[in-house]
């Protein structure tokens, strides 16, 4: 016979009750989250209040996967919708594309010039907005733009159809539209 079989039912139930009581008092440890801020990684709990608020409103995505915005619009159905609009609106290759963009930039931004050059090479009407000015910053805040460079694309009715922050992201947004130079 083993030691297990010599225990009584009351002993086993008492042992179970004791373990349950110990489990009620178990608490996990806080998880420390690191994220990139101003060029380097740092614990989010050590950020100032403004940066923590900005972090909580960030929208994260994986460019290698299906890119979706908050309304469920993704690059596949975006391309289909806009391609249908382009086909319907254009009668020749020289006509303007039926959508536009707003490019939010800063003069001191090292990543803005490549995006600006890329957008200038596209056949799309657009506006450049300097977020270093008060009016530019107000416009950026009203559209949820938290970093430069940011390009927001609009359809012919003024509805947002996509965003990009780098040349690679812009190419991913524009590739279904067949307008990448």
């Amino acid at each position: 016979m083993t030691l297990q079989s010599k225990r009584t039912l009351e002993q086993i139930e008492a042992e179970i009750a004791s373990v349950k009581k110990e489990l009620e008092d178990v608490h996990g440890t806080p998880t420390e989250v690191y994220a990139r801020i101003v060029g380097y990684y740092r614990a989010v709990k050590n950020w100032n209040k403004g940066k923590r608020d900005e972090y909580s409103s960030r929208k994260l995505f994986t460019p290698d996967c299906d890119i979706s915005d908050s309304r469920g619009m993704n690059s596949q159905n975006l391309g289909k919708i806009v391609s249908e609009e382009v086909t319907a609106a254009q009668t020749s290759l020289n006509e303007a594309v039926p959508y536009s963009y707003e490019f939010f930039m800063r003069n001191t931004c090292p990543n803005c010039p490549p995006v600006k050059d890329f957008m200038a090479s596209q056949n799309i009407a657009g506006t450049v907005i300097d977020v270093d000015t008060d009016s530019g910053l107000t416009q950026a805040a009203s559209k949820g733009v938290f970093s430069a460079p940011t390009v927001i694309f609009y359809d012919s009715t003024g509805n947002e159809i996509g965003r990009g922050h780098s040349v690679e992201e812009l190419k991913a947004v524009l590739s279904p539209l067949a307008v990448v130079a």
Side-chain angles (χ1 to χ4, degrees):
M1 282 179 81
T2 65
L3 291 175
Q4 290 279 343
S5 62
K6 292 184 181 180
R7 292 189 304 175
T8 65
L9 186 58
E10 291 81 24
Q11 290 173 328
I12 294 172
E13 287 178 352
E15 200 174 311
I16 291 173
S18 145
V19 170
K20 283 184 179 180
K21 186 171 182 163
E22 287 177 25
L23 287 175
E24 287 176 1
D25 197 35
V26 172
H27 301 287
T29 59
T31 301
E32 192 162 4
V33 177
Y34 281 76
R36 188 165 183 253
I37 178 174
V38 195
Y40 59 93
Y41 288 90
R42 186 173 177 190
V44 174
K45 71 178 183 177
N46 295 331
W47 291 6
N48 67 39
K49 183 182 182 321
K51 286 293 181 187
R52 279 195 308 264
D53 289 346
E54 177 185 323
Y55 178 75
S56 67
S57 63
R58 286 184 186 175
K59 296 178 184 175
L60 304 177
F61 67 94
T62 305
D64 297 333
C65 300
D66 187 27
I67 301 173
S68 298
D69 70 7
S70 60
R71 296 174 308 243
M73 183 68 70
N74 63 41
S75 58
Q76 292 170 341
N77 63 15
L78 167 66
K80 181 180 176 192
I81 291 168
V82 175
S83 295
E84 290 170 0
E85 287 182 12
V86 169
T87 305
Q90 290 183 332
T91 56
S92 75
L93 293 175
N94 296 328
E95 288 187 50
V97 178
Y99 48 92
S100 61
Y101 69 88
E102 288 180 327
F103 172 37
F104 294 88
M105 61 155 294
R106 297 188 69 194
N107 291 325
T108 58
C109 168
N111 299 321
C112 291
V115 171
K116 185 176 184 179
D117 293 342
F118 176 76
M119 291 310 299
S121 72
Q122 303 303 305
N123 185 26
I124 306 171
T127 306
V128 177
I129 300 166
D130 184 357
V131 296
D132 288 328
T133 65
D134 289 338
S135 63
L137 186 60
T138 302
Q139 273 185 285
S142 71
K143 298 189 178 182
V145 174
F146 296 112
S147 65
T150 297
V151 179
I152 303 175
F153 294 95
Y154 301 96
D155 64 11
S156 58
T157 61
N159 295 320
E160 181 178 334
I161 57 173
R163 288 184 183 215
H165 304 282
S166 67
V167 173
E168 292 77 23
E169 290 178 18
L170 296 172
K171 286 179 180 179
V173 171
L174 293 175
S175 65
L177 311 178
V179 294
V180 178

